[in-house]
Amino acid sequence: MKVLVLGAGVIGVTSAYYLARAGHEVTVVDRQSAAAEETSFGNSGQVSPGYSAPWSKPGLPLQMLKWAFAPHSPLIIRPGLDLKLYSWLLQALGNCTAERYALNKARMVRLAEYSRDCLIQLRADTAIAYDERTRGTLQVMRTRQQLDAVAGDIAVLKQFGVRHELLDAAGCVAAEPALALVREKIAGGLRLPGDETGDCNIFTKTLAGIAQGLGVTFLFGKTIRQLTVVGGRIAGVALEDQTLTADAYVAAMGSYTPLLLREVGISIPVYPVKGYSITVPITDPDAAPVSTVMDETYKIAITRLGTRIRAGGRAELTGYDRTLRPERRAALDHSVRDLFPRGGDLSRASFWTGLRPMTPDGTPVVGATPYPNLYTNTGHGTLGWTMSCGSARVLTDLVSGKAPEIDTTGLSCARYG
């Protein structure tokens, strides 16, 4: 079957790889000059199934009010006249019940755990290298209140058999020795030994090369204009200078996917959530993180990527604006300096921003659409790197007419009516 994948981020490239492995003739189209040049370029580097949870949960509305007055707030909302944002926020708040949270988290953990297993197998099959580490992740709590609040997450981890360790300050230092320098700031932590880290940009670019070896064609520098419909099916994709046709089409354009689908009558509540990261050269390897440390207070992930420290986080609801705001960098700098004061040279850090495609229930939109030859693989929010391989495997099975290896109930756009 001839398959056209729209988008060459980590979601599009993993989709192309697995589709090619399944025997399909695959072409990938992207407006950038290479793979992973947008949201997959500078993320925080985590592959963290254990932290797969929707933002919409009981207590979020109150937390948002507190963040509105907090220094280094992890969430900024700049609504303006964007009606799509108001609609998205209302749906997100509607998912803040205990029942909806449990349902959404169950879907996310199931897909994320499967994805981690798929990544392990892909690594074994291809020997791909991407500054990966398999040394777990550590969520650091600075207060007793934060430590007590993690009980609900632990219950879900137990439900799904996710390995975890609740640590005191000494246990955190044992897992991340550099934290010994700031031990007095730590109340405890939650460690997930099964989680991994790695450079998503290197992974995606390397996998694109492997996919080319399997026969995948990449068309870069091509802006996708619209889908064309004939007889209730997608008949082609119009670019600036040509129209491409295929037997099946996969929309994997991240935050831009709903803009494309809207033109053919499909509405999915995927909204861009702007995130930031800094990449810091390591000056003292012994004073840098071993793997990923999640700073629970500021909602920032600090990850060791080879000879660099990547700190990522922040959430800004401001549409498709990609302006680099210095005040948002200040929080990233502060978290790194506060927990790893001797680890890296912040004066030489690079600053980046990207748009995460987020759904109001946290679960991505993977699967069939009302058009029998059009599929989606988008809406992964902050977990695109974590869920990429599993989502691509599920997508490939569906395109190939096979039953996926996991329960996919509630993953497609059908859940939105």
Side-chain angles (χ1 to χ4, degrees), residues 161-236:
V162 179
R163 289 186 297 150
H164 62 279
E165 302 167 355
L166 188 61
L167 306 176
D168 58 12
C172 291
V173 171
E176 286 284 354
L179 292 176
L181 295 171
V182 294
R183 179 171 176 165
E184 73 282 356
K185 299 178 181 179
I186 300 171
L190 176 64
R191 181 171 181 266
L192 301 178
D195 284 2
E196 302 184 5
T197 60
D199 191 314
C200 180
N201 179 262
I202 294 175
F203 171 86
T204 306
K205 281 179 163 54
T206 305
L207 189 63
I210 294 171
Q212 284 181 309
L214 296 174
V216 175
T217 299
F218 285 86
L219 300 179
F220 292 117
K222 300 290 185 180
T223 299
I224 297 165
R225 294 301 187 190
Q226 65 181 33
L227 299 171
T228 58
V229 179
V230 176
R233 297 174 63 87
I234 303 302

Side-chain angles (χ1 to χ4, degrees), residues 303-377:
T303 300
R304 174 77 161 263
L305 296 176
T307 59
R308 303 157 294 148
I309 297 171
R310 172 76 52 75
R314 316 286 83 197
E316 199 169 292
L317 298 175
T318 182
Y320 290 86
D321 172 32
R322 296 186 62 185
T323 303
L324 282 167
R325 300 183 182 277
E327 67 273 18
R328 302 301 276 165
R329 173 174 177 166
L332 299 170
D333 286 356
H334 173 76
S335 186
V336 173
R337 186 182 297 112
D338 204 42
L339 292 180
F340 299 97
R342 302 179 192 170
D345 185 354
L346 284 165
S347 69
R348 293 193 290 140
S350 60
F351 186 33
W352 172 89
T353 187
L355 303 177
R356 314 168 182 119
M358 184 77 77
T359 62
D361 53 18
T363 309
V365 188
V366 183
T369 73
Y371 296 95
N373 62 337
L374 175 64
Y375 302 83
T376 60
N377 196 359

Side-chain angles (χ1 to χ4, degrees), residues 21-37:
R21 282 280 301 264
H24 299 292
E25 179 186 345
V26 184
T27 298
V28 181
V29 184
D30 195 277
R31 66 183 178 181
Q32 296 294 341
S33 59
E37 287 296 297

Side-chain angles (χ1 to χ4, degrees), residues 385-400:
W385 182 202
T386 294
M387 295 183 172
S388 57
C389 291
S391 297
R393 279 287 304 274
V394 166
L395 185 281
T396 295
D397 286 340
L398 293 172
V399 171
S400 303

Side-chain angles (χ1 to χ4, degrees), residues 72-381:
H72 301 311
S73 172
L75 175 65
I76 297 291
I77 302 176
R78 305 179 192 275
L81 298 176
D82 189 351
L83 297 181
K84 290 293 181 183
L85 172 55
Y86 292 113
S87 173
W88 188 90
L89 283 171
L90 285 173
Q91 291 181 68
L93 292 173
N95 277 279
C96 287
T97 66
E99 180 182 7
R100 293 297 306 175
Y101 177 78
L103 175 64
N104 294 329
K105 184 173 178 68
R107 291 170 175 167
M108 295 173 70
V109 171
R110 182 167 61 245
L111 179 58
E113 287 285 319
Y114 175 61
S115 188
R116 192 261 318 282
D117 294 342
C118 291
L119 174 59
I120 292 171
Q121 186 61 54
L122 186 153
R123 198 161 55 231
D125 292 340
T126 64
I128 190 171
Y130 47 93
D131 279 339
E132 72 279 3
R133 290 190 171 212
T134 56
R135 303 183 64 169
T137 55
L138 175 66
Q139 184 178 7
V140 168
M141 319 293 181
R142 296 172 183 259
T143 67
R144 185 70 212 182
Q145 183 181 14
Q146 290 173 344
L147 204 56
D148 292 341
V150 83
D153 289 330
I154 289 176
V156 177
L157 295 174
K158 289 180 178 178
Q159 177 186 352
F160 291 97
V162 179
R163 289 186 297 150
H164 62 279
E165 302 167 355
L166 188 61
L167 306 176
D168 58 12
C172 291
V173 171
E176 286 284 354
L179 292 176
L181 295 171
V182 294
R183 179 171 176 165
E184 73 282 356
K185 299 178 181 179
I186 300 171
L190 176 64
R191 181 171 181 266
L192 301 178
D195 284 2
E196 302 184 5
T197 60
D199 191 314
C200 180
N201 179 262
I202 294 175
F203 171 86
T204 306
K205 281 179 163 54
T206 305
L207 189 63
I210 294 171
Q212 284 181 309
L214 296 174
V216 175
T217 299
F218 285 86
L219 300 179
F220 292 117
K222 300 290 185 180
T223 299
I224 297 165
R225 294 301 187 190
Q226 65 181 33
L227 299 171
T228 58
V229 179
V230 176
R233 297 174 63 87
I234 303 302
V237 175
L239 309 181
E240 294 172 305
D241 56 352
Q242 65 185 122
T243 296
L244 302 177
T245 61
D247 301 307
Y249 302 81
V250 178
M253 297 166 57
S255 297
Y256 296 89
T257 306
L259 304 183
L260 180 71
L261 299 185
R262 190 179 305 156
E263 299 302 315
V264 293
I266 298 175
S267 178
I268 56 173
V270 171
Y271 194 82
V273 176
K274 186 178 181 181
Y276 296 87
S277 75
I278 56 173
T279 303
V280 187
I282 292 175
T283 51
D284 183 350
D286 293 331
V290 169
S291 186
T292 288
V293 171
M294 294 282 296
D295 187 342
E296 176 61 19
T297 299
Y298 300 108
K299 306 295 184 184
I300 290 172
I302 306 171
T303 300
R304 174 77 161 263
L305 296 176
T307 59
R308 303 157 294 148
I309 297 171
R310 172 76 52 75
R314 316 286 83 197
E316 199 169 292
L317 298 175
T318 182
Y320 290 86
D321 172 32
R322 296 186 62 185
T323 303
L324 282 167
R325 300 183 182 277
E327 67 273 18
R328 302 301 276 165
R329 173 174 177 166
L332 299 170
D333 286 356
H334 173 76
S335 186
V336 173
R337 186 182 297 112
D338 204 42
L339 292 180
F340 299 97
R342 302 179 192 170
D345 185 354
L346 284 165
S347 69
R348 293 193 290 140
S350 60
F351 186 33
W352 172 89
T353 187
L355 303 177
R356 314 168 182 119
M358 184 77 77
T359 62
D361 53 18
T363 309
V365 188
V366 183
T369 73
Y371 296 95
N373 62 337
L374 175 64
Y375 302 83
T376 60
N377 196 359
T378 189
H380 297 78

